[in-house]
Amino acid sequence: MVVIGSARSNENGGINGGKPGDQTGKEVSTQVWYLHSKGWIVIRAKSKLVRKKIAHNMKSICSNDNIGYCQNHRGSLTTEAKPYGYDASKVTEACEVDCSEAVRNCILYAGIQIESFSTGSEVAACEKTGMFDIITDEKHCKSADYLLEGDILVTKTKGHTVVVLTDGEKAGTESGAEVTVKHDSAKSYEKKISGTYTVMASALNIRAGAGTTKKILGTLKKGKKARCYGYYTEVSGVKWLLVQADEMTGFCSEKYLKK
């Protein structure tokens, strides 16, 4: 059984109005996976650690009764959670969110900077970060069997979005399902580049994607430690490692990192 979590509706069963906070325990909650009438698209973070964090924060959102549903006040959760690194478990003031902003808070908690989006623009916003793969085949979108904890599901047209909180029955059994960022076919290379790196440049940009044209998420100072889990993308012969440091997840040029 695959469990999903999402912001669903206010205490009156509508999308606006009602009181801040979860009045019924079901405004923002978990449920068993179902096939939406509009069909699902799977948005999968390239990093397993990112997926874990996305799922963790959605669980926190669903279990915190200070967080209720309202589209008109969807940003109040983001305001309350931001001082805590978007950790929803630490929110103590009654606030509200809708389905897409709840998912955005999970992505922000995972260290990925992403602009505000609706379900209609969610796929494009996630693609723009360079941190996600978009999966549209029937095996992943019409069944829960191959879903991974931390996958994001969004309807094909504007409608609803949820986070997958448990692995599907066949998760990880398909070839290449776990890692979709480019890596050498030999698993030995993936293990070779996994590990902790030290920043050697005086200041190293961490970017939303591989390459110097991608958006800068932040800067890592010389001597800073960054963790790579074996994923990279190659651009013009230069390997850009997907790393995590200073609560950010992004790409850095291997040339300026020492393992």
Side-chain angles (χ1 to χ4, degrees):
M1 180 179 70
V2 171
V3 177
I4 56 178
S6 67
R8 300 167 65 184
S9 63
N10 66 21
E11 64 266 35
N12 302 314
I15 61 174
N16 288 311
K19 298 178 180 179
D22 196 335
Q23 310 303 313
T24 64
K26 296 181 179 180
E27 292 184 48
V28 185
S29 59
T30 62
Q31 62 185 134
V32 176
W33 177 92
Y34 65 97
L35 180 58
H36 197 283
S37 59
K38 293 184 175 183
W40 293 121
I41 292 173
V42 179
I43 303 173
R44 175 170 292 175
K46 296 174 180 179
S47 163
K48 182 177 181 180
L49 180 60
V50 168
R51 293 198 299 272
K52 290 285 186 183
K53 288 194 170 186
I54 288 172
H56 175 81
N57 209 41
M58 181 54 79
K59 291 174 186 176
S60 296
I61 291 173
C62 291
S63 62
N64 189 339
D65 286 340
N66 291 308
I67 305 170
Y69 185 99
C70 179
Q71 281 192 0
N72 281 346
H73 301 99
R74 68 197 292 265
S76 58
L77 168 61
T78 309
T79 300
E80 293 296 330
K82 186 176 181 179
Y84 308 108
Y86 302 99
D87 184 346
S89 68
K90 296 181 179 179
V91 171
T92 58
E93 296 293 327
C95 58
E96 296 173 300
V97 75
D98 70 355
C99 64
S100 56
E101 191 67 8
V103 168
R104 179 175 177 242
N105 270 262
C106 295
I107 295 172
L108 290 168
Y109 174 73
I112 298 173
Q113 296 302 307
I114 188 168
E115 60 195 29
S116 183
F117 55 79
S118 67
T119 52
S121 61
E122 187 170 344
V123 169
C126 289
E127 276 190 306
K128 188 177 178 181
T129 69
M131 302 297 178
F132 296 91
D133 288 309
I134 310 303
I135 303 172
T136 57
D137 63 82
E138 290 191 1
K139 182 170 68 173
H140 292 86
C141 299
K142 288 193 173 182
S143 166
D145 288 348
Y146 293 93
L147 295 178
L148 301 175
E149 178 188 14
D151 278 348
I152 298 167
L153 309 182
V154 64
T155 49
K156 292 181 179 180
T157 57
K158 187 176 181 180
H160 193 46
T161 183
V162 307
V163 170
V164 177
L165 303 181
T166 57
D167 283 341
E169 187 176 327
K170 299 179 181 179
T173 61
E174 55 186 331
S175 177
E178 181 56 30
V179 179
T180 48
V181 176
K182 178 183 175 183
H183 60 82
D184 284 8
S185 58
K187 288 289 184 180
S188 60
Y189 188 78
E190 183 180 326
K191 293 178 181 178
K192 181 180 177 182
I193 65 172
S194 297
T196 301
Y197 289 76
T198 301
V199 175
M200 305 305 293
S202 58
L204 179 60
N205 290 327
I206 182 167
R207 297 179 180 271
T212 57
T213 62
K214 301 300 183 181
K215 180 181 177 181
I216 297 173
L217 303 177
T219 303
L220 305 178
K221 295 181 179 180
K222 186 174 183 178
K224 185 69 184 179
K225 302 297 183 184
R227 179 72 181 174
C228 176
Y229 293 86
Y231 315 137
Y232 76 93
T233 297
E234 191 169 314
V235 178
S236 300
V238 177
K239 290 184 174 64
W240 289 75
L241 306 187
L242 180 62
V243 302
Q244 191 158 56
D246 282 350
E247 298 184 348
M248 295 183 292
T249 302
F251 288 85
C252 291
S253 173
E254 186 184 42
K255 294 192 298 183
Y256 305 106
L257 294 168
K258 181 178 180 182
K259 191 174 181 182

